[in-house]
PDB file of all heavy atoms in Angstrom:
ATOM      1  N   ASP A 124     -10.469  48.088-104.428  1.00 98.00           N
ATOM      2  CA  ASP A 124      -9.264  48.988-104.369  1.00 98.00           C
ATOM      3  C   ASP A 124      -8.040  48.108-104.372  1.00 98.00           C
ATOM      4  O   ASP A 124      -7.986  47.092-103.620  1.00 98.00           O
ATOM      5  CB  ASP A 124      -9.335  49.767-103.082  1.00 98.00           C
ATOM      6  CG  ASP A 124      -8.200  50.720-102.833  1.00 98.00           C
ATOM      7  OD1 ASP A 124      -7.107  50.273-102.417  1.00 98.00           O
ATOM      8  OD2 ASP A 124      -8.285  51.956-103.195  1.00 98.00           O
ATOM      9  N   GLU A 125      -6.986  48.519-105.180  1.00 98.00           N
ATOM     10  CA  GLU A 125      -5.807  47.675-105.232  1.00 98.00           C
ATOM     11  C   GLU A 125      -5.016  47.516-103.950  1.00 98.00           C
ATOM     12  O   GLU A 125      -4.493  46.254-103.729  1.00 98.00           O
ATOM     13  CB  GLU A 125      -4.876  48.283-106.334  1.00 98.00           C
ATOM     14  CG  GLU A 125      -4.289  49.565-105.961  1.00 98.00           C
ATOM     15  CD  GLU A 125      -3.156  50.008-106.919  1.00 98.00           C
ATOM     16  OE1 GLU A 125      -2.223  49.244-107.119  1.00 98.00           O
ATOM     17  OE2 GLU A 125      -3.289  51.059-107.600  1.00 98.00           O
ATOM     18  N   TYR A 126      -5.103  48.490-103.043  1.00 98.00           N
ATOM     19  CA  TYR A 126      -4.392  48.339-101.842  1.00 98.00           C
ATOM     20  C   TYR A 126      -5.149  47.528-100.784  1.00 98.00           C
ATOM     21  O   TYR A 126      -4.587  46.892 -99.963  1.00 98.00           O
ATOM     22  CB  TYR A 126      -3.967  49.634-101.256  1.00 98.00           C
ATOM     23  CG  TYR A 126      -3.083  50.441-102.204  1.00 98.00           C
ATOM     24  CD1 TYR A 126      -3.608  51.533-102.915  1.00 98.00           C
ATOM     25  CD2 TYR A 126      -1.818  50.042-102.415  1.00 98.00           C
ATOM     26  CE1 TYR A 126      -2.823  52.150-103.934  1.00 98.00           C
ATOM     27  CE2 TYR A 126      -0.990  50.780-103.269  1.00 98.00           C
ATOM     28  CZ  TYR A 126      -1.459  51.816-103.986  1.00 98.00           C
ATOM     29  OH  TYR A 126      -0.766  52.514-104.906  1.00 98.00           O
ATOM     30  N   VAL A 127      -6.529  47.596-100.791  1.00 98.00           N
ATOM     31  CA  VAL A 127      -7.387  46.633-100.084  1.00 98.00           C
ATOM     32  C   VAL A 127      -7.169  45.216-100.531  1.00 98.00           C
ATOM     33  O   VAL A 127      -6.991  44.357 -99.563  1.00 98.00           O
ATOM     34  CB  VAL A 127      -8.885  47.112-100.128  1.00 98.00           C
ATOM     35  CG1 VAL A 127      -9.731  46.046 -99.446  1.00 98.00           C
ATOM     36  CG2 VAL A 127      -9.145  48.448 -99.619  1.00 98.00           C
ATOM     37  N   LEU A 128      -7.040  45.060-101.666  1.00 98.00           N
ATOM     38  CA  LEU A 128      -6.727  43.709-102.290  1.00 98.00           C
ATOM     39  C   LEU A 128      -5.476  43.199-101.724  1.00 98.00           C
ATOM     40  O   LEU A 128      -5.293  41.973-101.408  1.00 98.00           O
ATOM     41  CB  LEU A 128      -6.888  43.674-103.789  1.00 98.00           C
ATOM     42  CG  LEU A 128      -8.277  43.800-104.293  1.00 98.00           C
ATOM     43  CD1 LEU A 128      -8.266  44.086-105.831  1.00 98.00           C
ATOM     44  CD2 LEU A 128      -9.172  42.660-104.085  1.00 98.00           C
ATOM     45  N   LYS A 129      -4.389  44.007-101.737  1.00 96.00           N
ATOM     46  CA  LYS A 129      -3.108  43.680-101.194  1.00 96.00           C
ATOM     47  C   LYS A 129      -3.249  43.238 -99.739  1.00 96.00           C
ATOM     48  O   LYS A 129      -2.630  42.237 -99.435  1.00 96.00           O
ATOM     49  CB  LYS A 129      -2.151  44.838-101.203  1.00 96.00           C
ATOM     50  CG  LYS A 129      -1.519  45.144-102.597  1.00 96.00           C
ATOM     51  CD  LYS A 129      -0.482  46.242-102.400  1.00 96.00           C
ATOM     52  CE  LYS A 129       0.097  46.746-103.768  1.00 96.00           C
ATOM     53  NZ  LYS A 129       1.133  45.904-104.219  1.00 96.00           N
ATOM     54  N   GLU A 130      -3.988  43.975 -98.972  1.00 96.00           N
ATOM     55  CA  GLU A 130      -4.190  43.636 -97.489  1.00 96.00           C
ATOM     56  C   GLU A 130      -4.805  42.249 -97.352  1.00 96.00           C
ATOM     57  O   GLU A 130      -4.500  41.469 -96.586  1.00 96.00           O
ATOM     58  CB  GLU A 130      -4.921  44.713 -96.747  1.00 96.00           C
ATOM     59  CG  GLU A 130      -5.260  44.422 -95.353  1.00 96.00           C
ATOM     60  CD  GLU A 130      -4.042  44.377 -94.375  1.00 96.00           C
ATOM     61  OE1 GLU A 130      -2.917  44.452 -94.883  1.00 96.00           O
ATOM     62  OE2 GLU A 130      -4.316  44.193 -93.171  1.00 96.00           O
ATOM     63  N   ALA A 131      -5.920  42.048 -98.123  1.00 96.00           N
ATOM     64  CA  ALA A 131      -6.630  40.894 -98.089  1.00 96.00           C
ATOM     65  C   ALA A 131      -5.741  39.666 -98.499  1.00 96.00           C
ATOM     66  O   ALA A 131      -5.717  38.547 -97.855  1.00 96.00           O
ATOM     67  CB  ALA A 131      -7.861  40.886 -98.952  1.00 96.00           C
ATOM     68  N   ILE A 132      -5.051  39.773 -99.562  1.00 94.00           N
ATOM     69  CA  ILE A 132      -4.199  38.623-100.040  1.00 94.00           C
ATOM     70  C   ILE A 132      -3.026  38.392 -99.010  1.00 94.00           C
ATOM     71  O   ILE A 132      -2.740  37.274 -98.773  1.00 94.00           O
ATOM     72  CB  ILE A 132      -3.502  39.014-101.397  1.00 94.00           C
ATOM     73  CG1 ILE A 132      -4.682  38.964-102.490  1.00 94.00           C
ATOM     74  CG2 ILE A 132      -2.325  38.073-101.829  1.00 94.00           C
ATOM     75  CD1 ILE A 132      -4.286  39.706-103.808  1.00 94.00           C
ATOM     76  N   LEU A 133      -2.456  39.446 -98.457  1.00 91.00           N
ATOM     77  CA  LEU A 133      -1.432  39.328 -97.450  1.00 91.00           C
ATOM     78  C   LEU A 133      -1.854  38.467 -96.223  1.00 91.00           C
ATOM     79  O   LEU A 133      -1.173  37.685 -95.822  1.00 91.00           O
ATOM     80  CB  LEU A 133      -0.867  40.633 -97.017  1.00 91.00           C
ATOM     81  CG  LEU A 133       0.142  40.796 -95.931  1.00 91.00           C
ATOM     82  CD1 LEU A 133       1.549  40.258 -96.554  1.00 91.00           C
ATOM     83  CD2 LEU A 133       0.299  42.241 -95.520  1.00 91.00           C
ATOM     84  N   ASN A 134      -3.013  38.813 -95.852  1.00 93.00           N
ATOM     85  CA  ASN A 134      -3.612  38.057 -94.676  1.00 93.00           C
ATOM     86  C   ASN A 134      -4.375  36.765 -94.932  1.00 93.00           C
ATOM     87  O   ASN A 134      -4.834  36.180 -93.955  1.00 93.00           O
ATOM     88  CB  ASN A 134      -4.482  39.049 -93.870  1.00 93.00           C
ATOM     89  CG  ASN A 134      -3.676  40.178 -93.222  1.00 93.00           C
ATOM     90  OD1 ASN A 134      -2.785  39.984 -92.328  1.00 93.00           O
ATOM     91  ND2 ASN A 134      -3.837  41.402 -93.720  1.00 93.00           N
ATOM     92  N   VAL A 135      -4.584  36.468 -96.236  1.00 92.00           N
ATOM     93  CA  VAL A 135      -5.368  35.302 -96.609  1.00 92.00           C
ATOM     94  C   VAL A 135      -6.730  35.468 -95.918  1.00 92.00           C
ATOM     95  O   VAL A 135      -7.179  34.503 -95.467  1.00 92.00           O
ATOM     96  CB  VAL A 135      -4.702  34.010 -96.298  1.00 92.00           C
ATOM     97  CG1 VAL A 135      -5.287  32.975 -97.142  1.00 92.00           C
ATOM     98  CG2 VAL A 135      -3.212  34.083 -96.577  1.00 92.00           C
ATOM     99  N   MET A 136      -7.420  36.590 -96.149  1.00 96.00           N
ATOM    100  CA  MET A 136      -8.614  36.969 -95.543  1.00 96.00           C
ATOM    101  C   MET A 136      -9.664  37.479 -96.600  1.00 96.00           C
ATOM    102  O   MET A 136      -9.289  38.249 -97.396  1.00 96.00           O
ATOM    103  CB  MET A 136      -8.651  37.957 -94.408  1.00 96.00           C
ATOM    104  CG  MET A 136      -7.798  37.433 -93.183  1.00 96.00           C
ATOM    105  SD  MET A 136      -7.444  38.836 -91.986  1.00 96.00           S
ATOM    106  CE  MET A 136      -9.140  39.175 -91.365  1.00 96.00           C
ATOM    107  N   PRO A 137     -10.863  36.884 -96.586  1.00 97.00           N
ATOM    108  CA  PRO A 137     -11.834  37.414 -97.609  1.00 97.00           C
ATOM    109  C   PRO A 137     -12.311  38.888 -97.294  1.00 97.00           C
ATOM    110  O   PRO A 137     -12.273  39.214 -96.105  1.00 97.00           O
ATOM    111  CB  PRO A 137     -13.076  36.396 -97.426  1.00 97.00           C
ATOM    112  CG  PRO A 137     -12.875  35.856 -96.065  1.00 97.00           C
ATOM    113  CD  PRO A 137     -11.416  35.875 -95.687  1.00 97.00           C
ATOM    114  N   ILE A 138     -12.714  39.562 -98.159  1.00 98.00           N
ATOM    115  CA  ILE A 138     -13.207  40.936 -98.068  1.00 98.00           C
ATOM    116  C   ILE A 138     -14.718  40.934 -97.957  1.00 98.00           C
ATOM    117  O   ILE A 138     -15.471  40.338 -98.738  1.00 98.00           O
ATOM    118  CB  ILE A 138     -12.871  41.846 -99.307  1.00 98.00           C
ATOM    119  CG1 ILE A 138     -11.257  41.824 -99.313  1.00 98.00           C
ATOM    120  CG2 ILE A 138     -13.419  43.230 -99.197  1.00 98.00           C
ATOM    121  CD1 ILE A 138     -10.783  42.492-100.617  1.00 98.00           C
TER     122      ILE A 138
END
Side-chain angles (χ1 to χ4, degrees):
D124 180 277
E125 65 173 299
Y126 301 104
V127 173
L128 290 168
K129 279 181 186 286
E130 174 68 355
I132 291 167
L133 178 67
N134 290 294
V135 198
M136 293 170 69
I138 299 170

